[in-house]
Amino acid sequence: MIGDKILTNRDDYRKAKKILKYILDKHKIVITIGGGSGTHKSELMEALQELLYKENKLSLGISLDDYYKIHFNFRNEERKAKGLKSVGIKEIDWSLVKNIIHRFKKGKKIYSQVINKYTNSIMLQEIDSRGIDYLIIEGLYANYLKKLKLSDFSIHLEGSPKDTLKFRLRRKKENEKDEFRKKVVEKEYKEVLKLKKYADKII
């Protein structure tokens, strides 16, 4: 999502180098990076894309944060109205993500979307996928795509609800007194753990 800070560090590049050996000789593959908030999914994707580029490989990175059915401005209200049972995989518009994957595999034009937090708007991008070797999708529930057999290589990043809250406080995305938000984080983490078993690589 445009407006989110990407805090890439040395550890992200170290992890990216480990992953590189599993995917470097592949072509037209989908890589998914799942894990709780604060486990550096976006940062790992950024590092991986940079290393691939240095190997003359082109990649497209997509964040599932841009594919929620409900805009982030209204998501908390929706969750409070429907209860914690509404939090999880079904919040993502998987039909849009699946369409991107299918078009990427066929080398067709991809129509992806990015939410701009500064303007509260959705920006649509048209991308020619013929020359793109890797589609990298990161997000809490990214490895759900492995369960659907739509991911060729899946990564699970370890973490905990405590790590999530600490990370989000550091990025000024969290109100530490918001008890409902803490419950949401715990529910998200439980959902993420259910997908861990589908990972090809756990870091």
Side-chain angles (χ1 to χ4, degrees):
M1 173 182 313
I2 294 173
D4 275 353
K5 291 179 182 177
I6 306 284
L7 308 170
T8 313
N9 61 34
R10 192 176 296 174
D11 194 45
D12 298 316
Y13 286 98
R14 181 184 60 78
K15 290 174 183 176
K17 283 178 183 175
K18 279 186 178 180
I19 294 162
L20 209 60
K21 64 184 180 182
Y22 295 101
I23 64 170
L24 199 53
D25 61 340
K26 311 292 184 185
H27 177 67
K28 277 290 175 199
I29 68 165
V30 176
I31 300 161
T32 49
I33 304 172
S37 182
T39 52
H40 275 230
K41 298 180 299 298
S42 301
E43 290 77 7
L44 178 58
M45 180 172 75
E46 183 96 355
L48 193 53
Q49 285 191 275
E50 186 178 328
L51 293 182
L52 285 168
Y53 185 73
K54 287 178 180 176
E55 296 286 343
N56 296 313
K57 302 282 188 178
L58 298 181
S59 62
L60 171 64
I62 286 176
S63 172
L64 288 182
D65 282 355
D66 296 315
Y67 290 85
Y68 276 82
K69 293 173 184 175
I70 306 293
H71 192 281
F72 67 88
N73 277 351
F74 312 108
R75 202 175 302 146
N76 209 37
E77 294 172 23
E78 184 83 3
R79 286 167 167 173
K80 283 180 178 178
K82 293 186 175 180
L84 288 173
K85 66 180 184 299
S86 67
V87 176
I89 291 168
K90 52 184 172 284
E91 291 186 285
I92 305 291
D93 192 336
W94 294 106
S95 61
L96 294 178
V97 181
K98 289 176 188 177
N99 182 261
I100 289 171
I101 292 171
H102 291 315
R103 296 186 73 84
F104 164 73
K105 288 287 190 177
K106 292 178 181 178
K108 293 184 176 182
K109 284 182 181 176
I110 290 172
Y111 300 93
S112 69
Q113 65 182 37
V114 180
I115 293 176
N116 189 321
K117 288 178 74 172
Y118 299 125
T119 60
N120 280 341
S121 60
I122 295 175
M123 302 167 61
L124 295 177
Q125 301 176 335
E126 181 182 291
I127 301 161
D128 187 345
S129 72
R130 283 177 295 181
I132 297 175
D133 300 291
Y134 303 91
L135 175 60
I136 307 172
I137 302 173
E138 66 86 11
L140 290 172
Y141 315 120
N143 287 327
Y144 178 61
L145 293 165
K146 184 69 175 184
K147 180 181 179 181
L148 298 179
K149 303 189 187 312
L150 292 172
S151 167
D152 299 297
F153 189 81
S154 60
I155 302 146
H156 173 84
L157 297 179
E158 295 277 38
S160 70
K162 191 175 179 181
D163 294 332
T164 293
L165 291 168
K166 198 184 296 182
F167 180 78
R168 289 178 67 87
L169 281 168
R170 196 163 70 244
R171 289 173 68 176
K172 297 181 179 176
K173 292 179 71 174
E174 210 66 71
N175 175 3
E176 59 184 321
K177 294 179 182 178
D178 188 339
E179 290 302 319
F180 182 75
R181 178 61 196 157
K182 288 178 183 177
K183 290 177 182 177
V184 166
V185 168
E186 287 170 6
K187 177 66 161 54
E188 287 175 336
Y189 185 68
K190 286 177 184 175
E191 294 294 305
V192 167
L193 277 184
K194 291 176 186 176
L195 301 172
K196 180 179 176 179
K197 61 185 176 185
Y198 298 106
D200 295 300
K201 184 73 177 172
I202 297 170
I203 301 176

